[in-house]
Amino acid sequence: MSRIAHRGAILNFRGDPGDRDDPCSYQYWEQGALIVCGGKVEQVGPAAELLSDAALPVIDHGSRLLLPGFIDTHIHYPQTDVIAAGGRHLLEWLERYTFPAEQRFADPEHARAVAHFFCDELLRNGTTTAQVLGTAHSVSVNAFFEVAAGRALRMIAGKALMDRLCPDGLRDVSAADAERDTRTLIERWHGRDRLHYAITPRFALTSSEAQLESCGRLAREFPDVFIHSHLAENRQEVSEVCAAFPQRRSYLDVYDHYGLLRERATFAHCIYLDAIDRGRLAASGAGAAFCPSSNLYLGSGLFDIATTDAAKIPFALATDVGGGSSFSMLRTMGEAYKVAQLTGQILTPLRAFYLATLAGARQLRLQDRIGSFTAGHEADFIVLDPAATPLLARRMDQCRDLSERLRLWMILGDDRAVAHTYVLGRRACFKEMLGAKPPS
Ligand code: GUN
Ligand code: ZN
């Protein structure tokens, strides 16, 4: 079994730093070591203690920072080709750009080619796990899982369920057909390799009551399968949902009524919720995906970090590509920071990094496998370069502590700052930068 040590600066979270950088929430070694054995974390700690065995091979990352791979809790792989497309607001953007692009995923060759590009892009950006929407076509999900399995990635995905208010080329023939297709996909993929299935009603507007009922049935039948949808993203969307479901108290109550609020359920956006909704979401064990670049790009609104915290709703960061305008979780952290600024709130760099790593693992109930450097966990990790660009290098030289360094990666960083991405201890992506030598 291969056993190797990585030497460098190391950051590891144990909990949520909150807005005061709780010192018990993280570990940091400026001269650290991570020992990986058979694709799993064996040990992490100070280099001086861990690297006494001269026979142990060591990859020296110098002053670069090692941390667990990023986890993107909400992203659409079929929207790779609509990123940065026009469309002022959500519903117009869906109709004009997104739905036409998604119709092409009936073609397995197209789906496969995009899935490869998408996984390359995730890894270039340091994202090792994502919760991914496919299109309404089962072949899109098969293509994605085949590509993810080929790269040994831990991934969650599901077929978008949609049986109304969408073009023919995306509409499920019937709720019963879509339920049967979902069951087939769950049986084929859930728990195979490092893959998990998510029951994925796209959003309340594109599912009939019969379809939402069938989602609830699937959720009961498969309690350890994920649930993944959109919620309360845009004012017009919210008012159309309320009009379509007049007997329900709120948008959230639509999902609640059909039994879709539970652990392992993630709802993207969660901007327009009231106190009752928030209490109910928290009590259910479901979580929110905070998608700042998408919310800003589509002009949807500002996620309220403080109110979400006060209600004890778990949340984590997500790109929401292609409504989101970057695959980079570093850029996404920077946008989250600006949303906090606009709402008069605090997002410390340390917490932003937590929200992009361990928070996602916890929300997805995968924290016993990924999201931190804990002995026995899967060794998915990344190496951040403090000198990835001349400006980063210059500003990093002026930093006094970890928090200042993280702030620079968060505000100035993007894919260029991710020097290497490791999946199960194997280098999945390496970038030769500024004359750096590839590690052996
Ligand atoms: N709501 C329903 N579908 C979508 C989508 O594809 N992107 C976003 N951002 N919101 C949605
Ligand atoms: Zn989305």
Side-chain angles (χ1 to χ4, degrees):
M1 201 182 286
S2 75
R3 188 165 177 266
I4 196 161
H6 293 262
R7 183 190 186 115
I10 297 185
L11 174 63
N12 184 39
F13 288 101
R14 302 157 75 99
D16 184 348
D19 52 19
R20 291 174 186 208
D21 288 353
D22 175 0
C24 300
S25 67
Y26 70 100
Q27 298 169 305
Y28 176 62
W29 298 277
E30 202 166 301
Q31 307 276 339
L34 171 71
I35 301 180
V36 175
C37 185
K40 301 258 174 86
V41 172
E42 185 185 286
Q43 253 184 309
V44 67
E49 277 176 32
L50 266 53
L51 299 184
S52 53
D53 174 4
L56 180 63
V58 178
I59 295 177
D60 192 346
H61 297 280
S63 62
R64 292 173 171 185
L65 178 72
L66 278 67
L67 70 155
F70 293 133
I71 297 173
D72 187 341
T73 53
H74 174 76
I75 185 166
H76 302 246
Y77 101 84
Q79 293 178 15
T80 301
D81 290 329
V82 290
I83 192 165
R88 270 182 52 71
H89 296 298
L90 173 67
L91 300 179
E92 180 199 329
W93 173 83
L94 283 174
E95 213 168 295
R96 285 185 56 182
Y97 301 97
T98 306
F99 288 165
E102 291 193 9
Q103 290 181 60
R104 296 188 61 196
F105 286 74
D107 171 6
E109 284 311 310
H110 177 69
R112 198 174 169 74
V114 176
H116 272 297
F117 182 91
F118 175 86
C119 288
D120 284 343
E121 201 61 18
L122 289 183
L123 294 169
R124 275 182 359 89
N125 281 283
T127 299
T128 47
T129 290
Q131 181 162 236
V132 179
L133 275 99
T135 63
H137 317 97
S138 289
V139 292
S140 77
V141 178
N142 287 329
F144 177 75
F145 276 140
E146 279 158 15
V147 167
R151 295 161 182 246
L153 297 173
R154 186 163 288 291
M155 287 286 166
I156 303 155
K159 166 197 142 44
L161 292 156
M162 43 205 295
D163 67 348
R164 62 173 197 151
L165 295 181
C166 58
D168 290 349
L170 288 180
R171 193 178 313 121
D172 292 320
V173 175
S174 70
D177 279 1
E179 181 175 334
R180 189 203 53 222
D181 292 348
T182 299
R183 196 172 271 111
T184 304
L185 288 166
I186 292 172
E187 281 158 3
R188 176 162 182 202
W189 293 110
H190 186 64
R192 177 165 159 187
D193 300 325
R194 301 180 78 201
L195 308 174
H196 310 264
Y197 196 83
I199 300 162
T200 310
R202 182 179 199 122
F203 68 151
L205 280 183
T206 45
S207 284
S208 65
E209 298 198 28
Q211 181 154 78
L212 291 168
E213 257 167 39
S214 103
C215 292
R217 206 163 27 248
L218 288 164
R220 283 191 300 280
E221 192 180 334
F222 300 100
D224 71 331
V225 160
F226 293 72
I227 297 173
H228 186 199
S229 191
H230 297 89
L231 168 66
E233 171 178 6
N234 163 291
R235 287 186 198 280
Q236 188 190 350
E237 171 211 17
V238 174
S239 71
E240 292 193 19
V241 169
C242 292
F245 298 90
Q247 63 285 32
R248 303 275 63 92
R249 199 197 67 80
S250 66
Y251 190 161
L252 180 97
D253 189 44
V254 175
Y255 295 140
D256 200 4
H257 178 75
Y258 292 102
L260 301 179
L261 302 193
R262 64 151 159 81
E263 287 197 357
R264 286 180 188 249
T266 299
F267 296 95
H269 308 296
C270 296
I271 298 173
Y272 302 104
L273 301 178
D274 64 17
I276 299 177
D277 290 334
R278 288 181 201 280
R280 181 63 202 118
L281 198 52
S284 72
F290 173 18
C291 311
S293 90
S294 167
N295 296 159
L296 294 171
Y297 183 71
L298 293 175
S300 302
L302 302 176
F303 182 83
D304 190 333
I305 297 173
T307 311
T308 308
D309 277 338
K312 299 196 166 24
I313 298 167
F315 71 98
L317 275 177
T319 61
D320 192 26
V321 162
S325 46
S326 174
F327 278 82
S328 167
M329 291 297 276
L330 292 172
R331 292 270 298 264
T332 304
M333 285 180 221
E335 299 300 279
Y337 175 81
K338 292 170 197 165
V339 167
Q341 288 283 72
L342 283 170
T343 49
Q345 300 177 6
I346 292 169
L347 179 60
T348 71
L350 204 61
R351 190 172 198 213
F353 273 78
Y354 163 76
L355 291 173
T357 54
L358 182 57
R362 285 178 157 186
Q363 184 175 309
L364 299 167
R365 303 294 192 271
L366 293 174
Q367 74 276 18
D368 55 346
R369 303 177 188 201
I370 55 170
S372 68
F373 292 137
T374 305
H377 286 200
E378 296 160 353
D380 290 352
F381 63 97
I382 60 176
V383 182
L384 292 187
D385 188 353
T389 69
L391 180 61
L392 259 178
R394 182 183 176 90
R395 289 286 289 109
M396 284 285 179
D397 270 352
Q398 301 161 19
C399 284
R400 284 164 314 201
D401 59 23
L402 173 68
S403 170
E404 287 188 5
R405 278 157 62 86
L406 295 180
R407 180 183 298 275
L408 293 183
W409 274 308
M410 167 170 90
I411 302 299
L412 301 176
D414 54 27
D415 54 312
R416 292 169 296 177
V418 180
H420 317 298
T421 303
Y422 288 84
V423 172
L424 294 179
R426 297 171 72 123
R427 208 175 57 220
C429 185
F430 165 72
K431 280 173 250 156
E432 190 124 6
M433 267 180 279
L434 301 180
K437 286 207 186 78
S440 49

